[in-house]
Amino acid sequence: MTESLAGFKQQGLEISLMTDLTLDQDGYLAKLDDWNKEVAFKLAAIENISLTEAHWEIINAVQAFYKQYQHAPSQRPFVNYIANTLGKEKGNSIYLMQLFSDSPAKVAARIAGLPRPTHCF
């Protein structure tokens, strides 16, 4: 089952886009090629997140992980990758949860236009 992002509702927030984007049942882009920065802002709005420079740093890092390993990282590899690439002050669960809520690996992957991380509940 897929849903169009136009009209996708979560927590009372309705998002509409000019383009016809399709999300899977978990809210991830059905076609990864549809992702761009405008889409990221819309996906972040669904999560009630206002993207900052700190968010973009993590989004770019998780996209680099995907490009290198061909899958989105689950939580532990995500935290370790951020620690190794951006430093331990950013590669810890508390920092990442402040940016991306209770499930940073899933939320960051969703906003970054990546598929759902494997082994994430």
Side-chain angles (χ1 to χ4, degrees):
M1 180 176 137
T2 61
E3 294 186 44
S4 172
L5 188 54
F8 183 81
K9 291 184 181 180
Q10 185 173 4
Q11 299 174 346
L13 181 65
E14 185 171 341
I15 304 298
S16 62
L17 288 177
M18 303 295 285
T19 58
D20 184 28
L21 293 176
T22 304
L23 302 177
D24 69 12
Q25 65 190 20
D26 296 319
Y28 295 85
L29 286 178
K31 294 189 284 183
L32 303 182
D33 291 339
D34 287 343
W35 188 89
N36 60 46
K37 285 190 174 190
E38 181 183 347
V39 170
F41 281 109
K42 300 291 185 176
L43 294 172
I46 292 171
E47 301 288 339
N48 293 318
I49 294 172
S50 296
L51 295 178
T52 65
E53 186 72 29
H55 291 96
W56 283 109
E57 189 173 39
I58 303 301
I59 290 166
N60 291 332
V62 76
Q63 287 178 331
F65 181 100
Y66 183 81
K67 186 175 181 178
Q68 182 174 358
Y69 299 106
Q70 299 301 302
H71 65 87
S74 58
Q75 185 64 25
R76 187 172 303 235
F78 174 63
V79 172
N80 289 337
Y81 184 79
I82 298 301
N84 290 333
T85 58
L86 301 177
K88 291 188 181 216
E89 69 281 352
K90 295 178 182 178
N92 68 71
S93 294
I94 294 171
Y95 176 80
L96 294 168
M97 286 173 62
Q98 289 172 343
L99 294 174
F100 295 103
S101 73
D102 295 333
S103 194
K106 289 189 338 186
V107 175
R110 186 178 298 123
I111 294 170
L114 304 178
R116 181 186 175 104
T118 54
H119 310 297
C120 274
F121 300 107

PDB file of all heavy atoms in Angstrom, residues 22-58:
ATOM      1  N   THR A  22       5.230   9.502  -3.704  1.00  0.00           N
ATOM      2  CA  THR A  22       4.569   8.355  -3.110  1.00  0.00           C
ATOM      3  C   THR A  22       5.404   7.841  -1.955  1.00  0.00           C
ATOM      4  O   THR A  22       6.617   7.667  -2.082  1.00  0.00           O
ATOM      5  CB  THR A  22       4.391   7.234  -4.161  1.00  0.00           C
ATOM      6  OG1 THR A  22       3.667   7.768  -5.275  1.00  0.00           O
ATOM      7  CG2 THR A  22       3.630   6.072  -3.582  1.00  0.00           C
ATOM      8  N   LEU A  23       4.737   7.618  -0.832  1.00  0.00           N
ATOM      9  CA  LEU A  23       5.368   7.066   0.354  1.00  0.00           C
ATOM     10  C   LEU A  23       4.923   5.628   0.547  1.00  0.00           C
ATOM     11  O   LEU A  23       3.798   5.276   0.181  1.00  0.00           O
ATOM     12  CB  LEU A  23       4.969   7.872   1.600  1.00  0.00           C
ATOM     13  CG  LEU A  23       5.288   9.353   1.599  1.00  0.00           C
ATOM     14  CD1 LEU A  23       4.753   9.997   2.866  1.00  0.00           C
ATOM     15  CD2 LEU A  23       6.768   9.586   1.450  1.00  0.00           C
ATOM     16  N   ASP A  24       5.787   4.828   1.153  1.00  0.00           N
ATOM     17  CA  ASP A  24       5.371   3.476   1.496  1.00  0.00           C
ATOM     18  C   ASP A  24       4.532   3.521   2.778  1.00  0.00           C
ATOM     19  O   ASP A  24       4.262   4.595   3.324  1.00  0.00           O
ATOM     20  CB  ASP A  24       6.578   2.536   1.608  1.00  0.00           C
ATOM     21  CG  ASP A  24       7.484   2.827   2.800  1.00  0.00           C
ATOM     22  OD1 ASP A  24       7.102   3.604   3.704  1.00  0.00           O
ATOM     23  OD2 ASP A  24       8.590   2.257   2.821  1.00  0.00           O
ATOM     24  N   GLN A  25       4.128   2.383   3.264  1.00  0.00           N
ATOM     25  CA  GLN A  25       3.239   2.335   4.432  1.00  0.00           C
ATOM     26  C   GLN A  25       3.894   2.868   5.697  1.00  0.00           C
ATOM     27  O   GLN A  25       3.196   3.227   6.651  1.00  0.00           O
ATOM     28  CB  GLN A  25       2.744   0.910   4.664  1.00  0.00           C
ATOM     29  CG  GLN A  25       3.853  -0.063   5.032  1.00  0.00           C
ATOM     30  CD  GLN A  25       3.373  -1.494   5.019  1.00  0.00           C
ATOM     31  OE1 GLN A  25       2.362  -1.808   4.403  1.00  0.00           O
ATOM     32  NE2 GLN A  25       4.088  -2.355   5.699  1.00  0.00           N
ATOM     33  N   ASP A  26       5.223   2.974   5.729  1.00  0.00           N
ATOM     34  CA  ASP A  26       5.928   3.492   6.896  1.00  0.00           C
ATOM     35  C   ASP A  26       6.340   4.957   6.738  1.00  0.00           C
ATOM     36  O   ASP A  26       7.040   5.503   7.593  1.00  0.00           O
ATOM     37  CB  ASP A  26       7.164   2.644   7.186  1.00  0.00           C
ATOM     38  CG  ASP A  26       6.810   1.211   7.564  1.00  0.00           C
ATOM     39  OD1 ASP A  26       5.833   1.032   8.330  1.00  0.00           O
ATOM     40  OD2 ASP A  26       7.488   0.290   7.085  1.00  0.00           O
ATOM     41  N   GLY A  27       5.959   5.585   5.637  1.00  0.00           N
ATOM     42  CA  GLY A  27       6.263   6.994   5.433  1.00  0.00           C
ATOM     43  C   GLY A  27       7.588   7.280   4.754  1.00  0.00           C
ATOM     44  O   GLY A  27       8.032   8.419   4.708  1.00  0.00           O
ATOM     45  N   TYR A  28       8.229   6.256   4.205  1.00  0.00           N
ATOM     46  CA  TYR A  28       9.482   6.426   3.459  1.00  0.00           C
ATOM     47  C   TYR A  28       9.162   6.612   1.983  1.00  0.00           C
ATOM     48  O   TYR A  28       8.156   6.101   1.493  1.00  0.00           O
ATOM     49  CB  TYR A  28      10.388   5.198   3.636  1.00  0.00           C
ATOM     50  CG  TYR A  28      10.864   5.021   5.045  1.00  0.00           C
ATOM     51  CD1 TYR A  28      10.089   4.361   5.987  1.00  0.00           C
ATOM     52  CD2 TYR A  28      12.099   5.511   5.460  1.00  0.00           C
ATOM     53  CE1 TYR A  28      10.518   4.211   7.295  1.00  0.00           C
ATOM     54  CE2 TYR A  28      12.544   5.361   6.759  1.00  0.00           C
ATOM     55  CZ  TYR A  28      11.737   4.707   7.675  1.00  0.00           C
ATOM     56  OH  TYR A  28      12.167   4.557   8.971  1.00  0.00           O
ATOM     57  N   LEU A  29      10.018   7.351   1.276  1.00  0.00           N
ATOM     58  CA  LEU A  29       9.802   7.540  -0.150  1.00  0.00           C
ATOM     59  C   LEU A  29       9.780   6.196  -0.870  1.00  0.00           C
ATOM     60  O   LEU A  29      10.655   5.362  -0.651  1.00  0.00           O
ATOM     61  CB  LEU A  29      10.915   8.399  -0.761  1.00  0.00           C
ATOM     62  CG  LEU A  29      10.894   9.882  -0.462  1.00  0.00           C
ATOM     63  CD1 LEU A  29      12.099  10.559  -1.105  1.00  0.00           C
ATOM     64  CD2 LEU A  29       9.609  10.533  -0.931  1.00  0.00           C
ATOM     65  N   ALA A  30       8.803   6.015  -1.727  1.00  0.00           N
ATOM     66  CA  ALA A  30       8.729   4.786  -2.516  1.00  0.00           C
ATOM     67  C   ALA A  30       9.810   4.780  -3.595  1.00  0.00           C
ATOM     68  O   ALA A  30      10.341   3.728  -3.940  1.00  0.00           O
ATOM     69  CB  ALA A  30       7.347   4.639  -3.132  1.00  0.00           C
ATOM     70  N   LYS A  31      10.133   5.964  -4.129  1.00  0.00           N
ATOM     71  CA  LYS A  31      11.186   6.086  -5.143  1.00  0.00           C
ATOM     72  C   LYS A  31      12.256   7.027  -4.596  1.00  0.00           C
ATOM     73  O   LYS A  31      12.009   8.222  -4.418  1.00  0.00           O
ATOM     74  CB  LYS A  31      10.618   6.643  -6.454  1.00  0.00           C
ATOM     75  CG  LYS A  31       9.641   5.692  -7.129  1.00  0.00           C
ATOM     76  CD  LYS A  31       9.252   6.160  -8.511  1.00  0.00           C
ATOM     77  CE  LYS A  31       8.253   7.300  -8.375  1.00  0.00           C
ATOM     78  NZ  LYS A  31       7.745   7.779  -9.657  1.00  0.00           N
ATOM     79  N   LEU A  32      13.433   6.489  -4.334  1.00  0.00           N
ATOM     80  CA  LEU A  32      14.511   7.269  -3.741  1.00  0.00           C
ATOM     81  C   LEU A  32      14.925   8.443  -4.618  1.00  0.00           C
ATOM     82  O   LEU A  32      15.378   9.478  -4.106  1.00  0.00           O
ATOM     83  CB  LEU A  32      15.717   6.378  -3.449  1.00  0.00           C
ATOM     84  CG  LEU A  32      15.453   5.165  -2.548  1.00  0.00           C
ATOM     85  CD1 LEU A  32      16.744   4.411  -2.300  1.00  0.00           C
ATOM     86  CD2 LEU A  32      14.790   5.570  -1.255  1.00  0.00           C
ATOM     87  N   ASP A  33      14.749   8.315  -5.925  1.00  0.00           N
ATOM     88  CA  ASP A  33      15.119   9.386  -6.847  1.00  0.00           C
ATOM     89  C   ASP A  33      14.247  10.624  -6.704  1.00  0.00           C
ATOM     90  O   ASP A  33      14.572  11.679  -7.249  1.00  0.00           O
ATOM     91  CB  ASP A  33      15.073   8.893  -8.292  1.00  0.00           C
ATOM     92  CG  ASP A  33      16.171   7.888  -8.601  1.00  0.00           C
ATOM     93  OD1 ASP A  33      17.175   7.867  -7.877  1.00  0.00           O
ATOM     94  OD2 ASP A  33      16.007   7.126  -9.568  1.00  0.00           O
ATOM     95  N   ASP A  34      13.126  10.520  -5.996  1.00  0.00           N
ATOM     96  CA  ASP A  34      12.250  11.671  -5.786  1.00  0.00           C
ATOM     97  C   ASP A  34      12.795  12.644  -4.748  1.00  0.00           C
ATOM     98  O   ASP A  34      12.272  13.743  -4.589  1.00  0.00           O
ATOM     99  CB  ASP A  34      10.851  11.216  -5.337  1.00  0.00           C
ATOM    100  CG  ASP A  34      10.053  10.590  -6.461  1.00  0.00           C
ATOM    101  OD1 ASP A  34      10.415  10.771  -7.639  1.00  0.00           O
ATOM    102  OD2 ASP A  34       9.051   9.917  -6.149  1.00  0.00           O
ATOM    103  N   TRP A  35      13.838  12.248  -4.021  1.00  0.00           N
ATOM    104  CA  TRP A  35      14.341  13.067  -2.916  1.00  0.00           C
ATOM    105  C   TRP A  35      15.096  14.293  -3.411  1.00  0.00           C
ATOM    106  O   TRP A  35      15.871  14.236  -4.358  1.00  0.00           O
ATOM    107  CB  TRP A  35      15.265  12.253  -2.011  1.00  0.00           C
ATOM    108  CG  TRP A  35      15.639  13.007  -0.763  1.00  0.00           C
ATOM    109  CD1 TRP A  35      14.965  13.013   0.410  1.00  0.00           C
ATOM    110  CD2 TRP A  35      16.764  13.872  -0.580  1.00  0.00           C
ATOM    111  NE1 TRP A  35      15.592  13.827   1.313  1.00  0.00           N
ATOM    112  CE2 TRP A  35      16.696  14.373   0.725  1.00  0.00           C
ATOM    113  CE3 TRP A  35      17.809  14.280  -1.395  1.00  0.00           C
ATOM    114  CZ2 TRP A  35      17.641  15.258   1.251  1.00  0.00           C
ATOM    115  CZ3 TRP A  35      18.758  15.165  -0.880  1.00  0.00           C
ATOM    116  CH2 TRP A  35      18.659  15.638   0.430  1.00  0.00           C
ATOM    117  N   ASN A  36      14.853  15.401  -2.755  1.00  0.00           N
ATOM    118  CA  ASN A  36      15.647  16.622  -2.889  1.00  0.00           C
ATOM    119  C   ASN A  36      15.461  17.410  -1.587  1.00  0.00           C
ATOM    120  O   ASN A  36      14.738  16.961  -0.693  1.00  0.00           O
ATOM    121  CB  ASN A  36      15.253  17.432  -4.138  1.00  0.00           C
ATOM    122  CG  ASN A  36      13.809  17.865  -4.123  1.00  0.00           C
ATOM    123  OD1 ASN A  36      13.296  18.363  -3.117  1.00  0.00           O
ATOM    124  ND2 ASN A  36      13.121  17.690  -5.250  1.00  0.00           N
ATOM    125  N   LYS A  37      16.104  18.554  -1.480  1.00  0.00           N
ATOM    126  CA  LYS A  37      16.035  19.299  -0.221  1.00  0.00           C
ATOM    127  C   LYS A  37      14.623  19.769   0.098  1.00  0.00           C
ATOM    128  O   LYS A  37      14.217  19.769   1.263  1.00  0.00           O
ATOM    129  CB  LYS A  37      17.003  20.475  -0.231  1.00  0.00           C
ATOM    130  CG  LYS A  37      18.432  20.032  -0.057  1.00  0.00           C
ATOM    131  CD  LYS A  37      19.354  21.202   0.164  1.00  0.00           C
ATOM    132  CE  LYS A  37      20.742  20.669   0.483  1.00  0.00           C
ATOM    133  NZ  LYS A  37      21.643  21.703   0.935  1.00  0.00           N
ATOM    134  N   GLU A  38      13.860  20.145  -0.900  1.00  0.00           N
ATOM    135  CA  GLU A  38      12.471  20.550  -0.655  1.00  0.00           C
ATOM    136  C   GLU A  38      11.668  19.385  -0.067  1.00  0.00           C
ATOM    137  O   GLU A  38      10.892  19.567   0.868  1.00  0.00           O
ATOM    138  CB  GLU A  38      11.826  21.039  -1.951  1.00  0.00           C
ATOM    139  CG  GLU A  38      10.392  21.488  -1.768  1.00  0.00           C
ATOM    140  CD  GLU A  38       9.722  21.916  -3.064  1.00  0.00           C
ATOM    141  OE1 GLU A  38      10.417  22.109  -4.077  1.00  0.00           O
ATOM    142  OE2 GLU A  38       8.492  22.033  -3.056  1.00  0.00           O
ATOM    143  N   VAL A  39      11.881  18.207  -0.620  1.00  0.00           N
ATOM    144  CA  VAL A  39      11.206  17.013  -0.105  1.00  0.00           C
ATOM    145  C   VAL A  39      11.640  16.756   1.339  1.00  0.00           C
ATOM    146  O   VAL A  39      10.822  16.432   2.193  1.00  0.00           O
ATOM    147  CB  VAL A  39      11.489  15.796  -1.011  1.00  0.00           C
ATOM    148  CG1 VAL A  39      10.998  14.508  -0.371  1.00  0.00           C
ATOM    149  CG2 VAL A  39      10.857  15.993  -2.379  1.00  0.00           C
ATOM    150  N   ALA A  40      12.923  16.932   1.621  1.00  0.00           N
ATOM    151  CA  ALA A  40      13.424  16.740   2.988  1.00  0.00           C
ATOM    152  C   ALA A  40      12.700  17.663   3.967  1.00  0.00           C
ATOM    153  O   ALA A  40      12.320  17.235   5.065  1.00  0.00           O
ATOM    154  CB  ALA A  40      14.931  16.975   3.040  1.00  0.00           C
ATOM    155  N   PHE A  41      12.501  18.919   3.576  1.00  0.00           N
ATOM    156  CA  PHE A  41      11.786  19.849   4.454  1.00  0.00           C
ATOM    157  C   PHE A  41      10.351  19.385   4.696  1.00  0.00           C
ATOM    158  O   PHE A  41       9.838  19.483   5.811  1.00  0.00           O
ATOM    159  CB  PHE A  41      11.796  21.269   3.870  1.00  0.00           C
ATOM    160  CG  PHE A  41      13.091  21.992   4.093  1.00  0.00           C
ATOM    161  CD1 PHE A  41      13.953  22.231   3.032  1.00  0.00           C
ATOM    162  CD2 PHE A  41      13.459  22.443   5.351  1.00  0.00           C
ATOM    163  CE1 PHE A  41      15.159  22.908   3.225  1.00  0.00           C
ATOM    164  CE2 PHE A  41      14.655  23.118   5.558  1.00  0.00           C
ATOM    165  CZ  PHE A  41      15.503  23.357   4.499  1.00  0.00           C
ATOM    166  N   LYS A  42       9.719  18.859   3.666  1.00  0.00           N
ATOM    167  CA  LYS A  42       8.340  18.372   3.810  1.00  0.00           C
ATOM    168  C   LYS A  42       8.291  17.131   4.706  1.00  0.00           C
ATOM    169  O   LYS A  42       7.427  17.019   5.568  1.00  0.00           O
ATOM    170  CB  LYS A  42       7.730  18.046   2.440  1.00  0.00           C
ATOM    171  CG  LYS A  42       7.668  19.202   1.496  1.00  0.00           C
ATOM    172  CD  LYS A  42       6.667  20.237   1.939  1.00  0.00           C
ATOM    173  CE  LYS A  42       6.569  21.332   0.879  1.00  0.00           C
ATOM    174  NZ  LYS A  42       5.552  22.320   1.205  1.00  0.00           N
ATOM    175  N   LEU A  43       9.234  16.209   4.487  1.00  0.00           N
ATOM    176  CA  LEU A  43       9.270  15.001   5.323  1.00  0.00           C
ATOM    177  C   LEU A  43       9.591  15.361   6.771  1.00  0.00           C
ATOM    178  O   LEU A  43       9.048  14.760   7.704  1.00  0.00           O
ATOM    179  CB  LEU A  43      10.284  14.006   4.764  1.00  0.00           C
ATOM    180  CG  LEU A  43       9.940  13.415   3.393  1.00  0.00           C
ATOM    181  CD1 LEU A  43      11.108  12.605   2.845  1.00  0.00           C
ATOM    182  CD2 LEU A  43       8.681  12.572   3.462  1.00  0.00           C
ATOM    183  N   ALA A  44      10.456  16.337   6.971  1.00  0.00           N
ATOM    184  CA  ALA A  44      10.775  16.784   8.330  1.00  0.00           C
ATOM    185  C   ALA A  44       9.549  17.405   8.993  1.00  0.00           C
ATOM    186  O   ALA A  44       9.308  17.197  10.187  1.00  0.00           O
ATOM    187  CB  ALA A  44      11.937  17.772   8.299  1.00  0.00           C
ATOM    188  N   ALA A  45       8.765  18.152   8.228  1.00  0.00           N
ATOM    189  CA  ALA A  45       7.560  18.768   8.781  1.00  0.00           C
ATOM    190  C   ALA A  45       6.580  17.719   9.280  1.00  0.00           C
ATOM    191  O   ALA A  45       5.924  17.911  10.309  1.00  0.00           O
ATOM    192  CB  ALA A  45       6.903  19.667   7.731  1.00  0.00           C
ATOM    193  N   ILE A  46       6.500  16.593   8.572  1.00  0.00           N
ATOM    194  CA  ILE A  46       5.640  15.493   9.035  1.00  0.00           C
ATOM    195  C   ILE A  46       6.085  15.026  10.413  1.00  0.00           C
ATOM    196  O   ILE A  46       5.268  14.651  11.250  1.00  0.00           O
ATOM    197  CB  ILE A  46       5.664  14.330   8.022  1.00  0.00           C
ATOM    198  CG1 ILE A  46       4.971  14.742   6.732  1.00  0.00           C
ATOM    199  CG2 ILE A  46       5.011  13.074   8.604  1.00  0.00           C
ATOM    200  CD1 ILE A  46       5.134  13.748   5.595  1.00  0.00           C
ATOM    201  N   GLU A  47       7.386  15.085  10.662  1.00  0.00           N
ATOM    202  CA  GLU A  47       7.949  14.657  11.948  1.00  0.00           C
ATOM    203  C   GLU A  47       7.963  15.793  12.978  1.00  0.00           C
ATOM    204  O   GLU A  47       8.501  15.633  14.068  1.00  0.00           O
ATOM    205  CB  GLU A  47       9.385  14.157  11.751  1.00  0.00           C
ATOM    206  CG  GLU A  47       9.537  13.007  10.797  1.00  0.00           C
ATOM    207  CD  GLU A  47       9.014  11.695  11.351  1.00  0.00           C
ATOM    208  OE1 GLU A  47       8.896  11.569  12.588  1.00  0.00           O
ATOM    209  OE2 GLU A  47       8.714  10.805  10.545  1.00  0.00           O
ATOM    210  N   ASN A  48       7.409  16.947  12.599  1.00  0.00           N
ATOM    211  CA  ASN A  48       7.447  18.141  13.454  1.00  0.00           C
ATOM    212  C   ASN A  48       8.870  18.585  13.754  1.00  0.00           C
ATOM    213  O   ASN A  48       9.191  18.987  14.872  1.00  0.00           O
ATOM    214  CB  ASN A  48       6.651  17.932  14.744  1.00  0.00           C
ATOM    215  CG  ASN A  48       5.172  17.805  14.498  1.00  0.00           C
ATOM    216  OD1 ASN A  48       4.612  18.538  13.694  1.00  0.00           O
ATOM    217  ND2 ASN A  48       4.545  16.857  15.162  1.00  0.00           N
ATOM    218  N   ILE A  49       9.725  18.492  12.753  1.00  0.00           N
ATOM    219  CA  ILE A  49      11.127  18.884  12.876  1.00  0.00           C
ATOM    220  C   ILE A  49      11.393  20.051  11.929  1.00  0.00           C
ATOM    221  O   ILE A  49      11.036  19.990  10.754  1.00  0.00           O
ATOM    222  CB  ILE A  49      12.068  17.718  12.530  1.00  0.00           C
ATOM    223  CG1 ILE A  49      11.923  16.599  13.561  1.00  0.00           C
ATOM    224  CG2 ILE A  49      13.518  18.176  12.418  1.00  0.00           C
ATOM    225  CD1 ILE A  49      12.666  15.331  13.209  1.00  0.00           C
ATOM    226  N   SER A  50      12.012  21.104  12.458  1.00  0.00           N
ATOM    227  CA  SER A  50      12.490  22.218  11.633  1.00  0.00           C
ATOM    228  C   SER A  50      13.978  21.986  11.406  1.00  0.00           C
ATOM    229  O   SER A  50      14.766  22.017  12.345  1.00  0.00           O
ATOM    230  CB  SER A  50      12.282  23.555  12.349  1.00  0.00           C
ATOM    231  OG  SER A  50      10.915  23.796  12.543  1.00  0.00           O
ATOM    232  N   LEU A  51      14.342  21.744  10.165  1.00  0.00           N
ATOM    233  CA  LEU A  51      15.723  21.376   9.859  1.00  0.00           C
ATOM    234  C   LEU A  51      16.686  22.538  10.090  1.00  0.00           C
ATOM    235  O   LEU A  51      16.432  23.663   9.674  1.00  0.00           O
ATOM    236  CB  LEU A  51      15.838  20.886   8.417  1.00  0.00           C
ATOM    237  CG  LEU A  51      15.091  19.595   8.100  1.00  0.00           C
ATOM    238  CD1 LEU A  51      15.252  19.240   6.628  1.00  0.00           C
ATOM    239  CD2 LEU A  51      15.570  18.456   8.977  1.00  0.00           C
ATOM    240  N   THR A  52      17.783  22.224  10.772  1.00  0.00           N
ATOM    241  CA  THR A  52      18.850  23.178  11.051  1.00  0.00           C
ATOM    242  C   THR A  52      20.139  22.654  10.425  1.00  0.00           C
ATOM    243  O   THR A  52      20.174  21.542   9.879  1.00  0.00           O
ATOM    244  CB  THR A  52      19.071  23.324  12.567  1.00  0.00           C
ATOM    245  OG1 THR A  52      19.540  22.066  13.083  1.00  0.00           O
ATOM    246  CG2 THR A  52      17.797  23.735  13.290  1.00  0.00           C
ATOM    247  N   GLU A  53      21.203  23.422  10.553  1.00  0.00           N
ATOM    248  CA  GLU A  53      22.517  22.998  10.070  1.00  0.00           C
ATOM    249  C   GLU A  53      22.918  21.666  10.713  1.00  0.00           C
ATOM    250  O   GLU A  53      23.482  20.792  10.051  1.00  0.00           O
ATOM    251  CB  GLU A  53      23.554  24.076  10.384  1.00  0.00           C
ATOM    252  CG  GLU A  53      24.912  23.794   9.809  1.00  0.00           C
ATOM    253  CD  GLU A  53      24.969  23.968   8.300  1.00  0.00           C
ATOM    254  OE1 GLU A  53      24.211  24.778   7.755  1.00  0.00           O
ATOM    255  OE2 GLU A  53      25.784  23.266   7.660  1.00  0.00           O
ATOM    256  N   ALA A  54      22.612  21.494  11.992  1.00  0.00           N
ATOM    257  CA  ALA A  54      22.938  20.241  12.698  1.00  0.00           C
ATOM    258  C   ALA A  54      22.212  19.053  12.073  1.00  0.00           C
ATOM    259  O   ALA A  54      22.783  17.969  11.916  1.00  0.00           O
ATOM    260  CB  ALA A  54      22.594  20.368  14.176  1.00  0.00           C
ATOM    261  N   HIS A  55      20.945  19.241  11.701  1.00  0.00           N
ATOM    262  CA  HIS A  55      20.191  18.169  11.042  1.00  0.00           C
ATOM    263  C   HIS A  55      20.822  17.818   9.696  1.00  0.00           C
ATOM    264  O   HIS A  55      20.988  16.644   9.374  1.00  0.00           O
ATOM    265  CB  HIS A  55      18.734  18.590  10.815  1.00  0.00           C
ATOM    266  CG  HIS A  55      17.923  18.707  12.055  1.00  0.00           C
ATOM    267  ND1 HIS A  55      17.733  19.918  12.691  1.00  0.00           N
ATOM    268  CD2 HIS A  55      17.257  17.786  12.780  1.00  0.00           C
ATOM    269  CE1 HIS A  55      16.974  19.729  13.745  1.00  0.00           C
ATOM    270  NE2 HIS A  55      16.665  18.442  13.827  1.00  0.00           N
ATOM    271  N   TRP A  56      21.163  18.847   8.913  1.00  0.00           N
ATOM    272  CA  TRP A  56      21.726  18.608   7.588  1.00  0.00           C
ATOM    273  C   TRP A  56      23.050  17.873   7.666  1.00  0.00           C
ATOM    274  O   TRP A  56      23.364  17.043   6.813  1.00  0.00           O
ATOM    275  CB  TRP A  56      21.869  19.917   6.807  1.00  0.00           C
ATOM    276  CG  TRP A  56      20.545  20.375   6.282  1.00  0.00           C
ATOM    277  CD1 TRP A  56      19.820  21.439   6.708  1.00  0.00           C
ATOM    278  CD2 TRP A  56      19.768  19.742   5.265  1.00  0.00           C
ATOM    279  NE1 TRP A  56      18.640  21.520   6.010  1.00  0.00           N
ATOM    280  CE2 TRP A  56      18.587  20.489   5.112  1.00  0.00           C
ATOM    281  CE3 TRP A  56      19.954  18.621   4.466  1.00  0.00           C
ATOM    282  CZ2 TRP A  56      17.592  20.150   4.188  1.00  0.00           C
ATOM    283  CZ3 TRP A  56      18.967  18.276   3.552  1.00  0.00           C
ATOM    284  CH2 TRP A  56      17.804  19.032   3.420  1.00  0.00           C
ATOM    285  N   GLU A  57      23.824  18.152   8.700  1.00  0.00           N
ATOM    286  CA  GLU A  57      25.095  17.444   8.873  1.00  0.00           C
ATOM    287  C   GLU A  57      24.854  15.944   9.037  1.00  0.00           C
ATOM    288  O   GLU A  57      25.532  15.117   8.420  1.00  0.00           O
ATOM    289  CB  GLU A  57      25.812  18.019  10.096  1.00  0.00           C
ATOM    290  CG  GLU A  57      27.215  17.551  10.280  1.00  0.00           C
ATOM    291  CD  GLU A  57      27.911  18.286  11.414  1.00  0.00           C
ATOM    292  OE1 GLU A  57      27.282  18.568  12.450  1.00  0.00           O
ATOM    293  OE2 GLU A  57      29.105  18.564  11.238  1.00  0.00           O
ATOM    294  N   ILE A  58      23.847  15.591   9.810  1.00  0.00           N
ATOM    295  CA  ILE A  58      23.507  14.177  10.031  1.00  0.00           C
ATOM    296  C   ILE A  58      22.873  13.583   8.773  1.00  0.00           C
ATOM    297  O   ILE A  58      23.185  12.450   8.378  1.00  0.00           O
ATOM    298  CB  ILE A  58      22.566  14.016  11.243  1.00  0.00           C
ATOM    299  CG1 ILE A  58      23.181  14.617  12.508  1.00  0.00           C
ATOM    300  CG2 ILE A  58      22.175  12.554  11.442  1.00  0.00           C
ATOM    301  CD1 ILE A  58      24.502  14.027  12.932  1.00  0.00           C
TER     302      ILE A  58
END
